[in-house]
Amino acid sequence: MKYSIFIFLLLSNVFWACAHEKTAETTAETPTAPIVGNDQDKHGCKASAGETWSALQQECVRLFEAGIRLHPVDKSLDANLSAFAIIGKNEEQAEVFMPNIKESKVLTKAKDGSWRMNDLRLSEEGGQ
């Protein structure tokens, strides 16, 4: 009986020591989680705060506050994805931000009153 208690205590200590050592190794190898709000782009804009760089305004903007939500002409497009436009102060340029496109596009005002760049056209048709 003495020996069985002694063996039990010895084995318990061995298992505890092995488990403790393994936990220490695992903790040391666990990567640290990224810090929330530490996602600045090259211009200093924080995507987690809803900011994006505006080439037209030369500052970080929140499109849902500073921009105009655009409605697609093609009704088959996903209504959950929004495009936005920011009109320049002199209204000679407009910057368009489209979903799934990394950088915005700056359009120039045309004679017909719309803003254009290559095959992109922004107009105030329908007053909306």
Side-chain angles (χ1 to χ4, degrees):
M1 177 87 172
K2 275 184 173 180
Y3 291 113
S4 52
I5 292 175
F6 177 74
I7 291 174
F8 174 76
L9 291 174
L10 179 66
L11 289 175
S12 297
N13 285 335
V14 169
F15 287 128
W16 180 82
C18 290
H20 181 68
E21 186 177 334
K22 191 167 192 168
T23 303
E25 288 175 13
T26 305
T27 305
E29 294 174 7
T30 304
T32 58
I35 299 171
V36 177
N38 191 23
D39 60 342
Q40 290 184 347
D41 66 8
K42 63 184 178 183
H43 301 287
C45 303
K46 292 185 178 183
S48 62
E51 296 177 342
T52 190
W53 178 253
S54 169
L56 190 61
Q57 294 188 353
Q58 292 294 298
E59 65 182 358
C60 298
V61 297
R62 297 168 117 189
L63 293 176
F64 52 89
E65 293 175 349
I68 301 165
R69 185 180 303 267
L70 302 177
H71 302 286
V73 176
D74 184 354
K75 299 298 180 191
S76 67
L77 296 174
D78 186 353
N80 294 323
L81 298 176
S82 294
F84 290 88
I86 294 178
I87 309 299
K89 291 180 183 177
N90 61 5
E91 295 189 8
E92 291 299 314
Q93 292 182 312
E95 186 173 14
V96 179
F97 300 83
M98 296 174 282
N100 303 326
I101 298 195
K102 188 174 181 174
E103 294 199 16
S104 63
K105 307 290 182 194
V106 177
L107 290 66
T108 307
K109 196 157 197 176
K111 290 180 182 179
D112 66 357
S114 66
W115 293 269
R116 297 175 184 242
M117 178 186 165
N118 300 331
D119 59 343
L120 294 176
R121 179 176 172 255
L122 175 65
S123 68
E124 295 184 62
E125 293 175 10
Q128 298 179 4

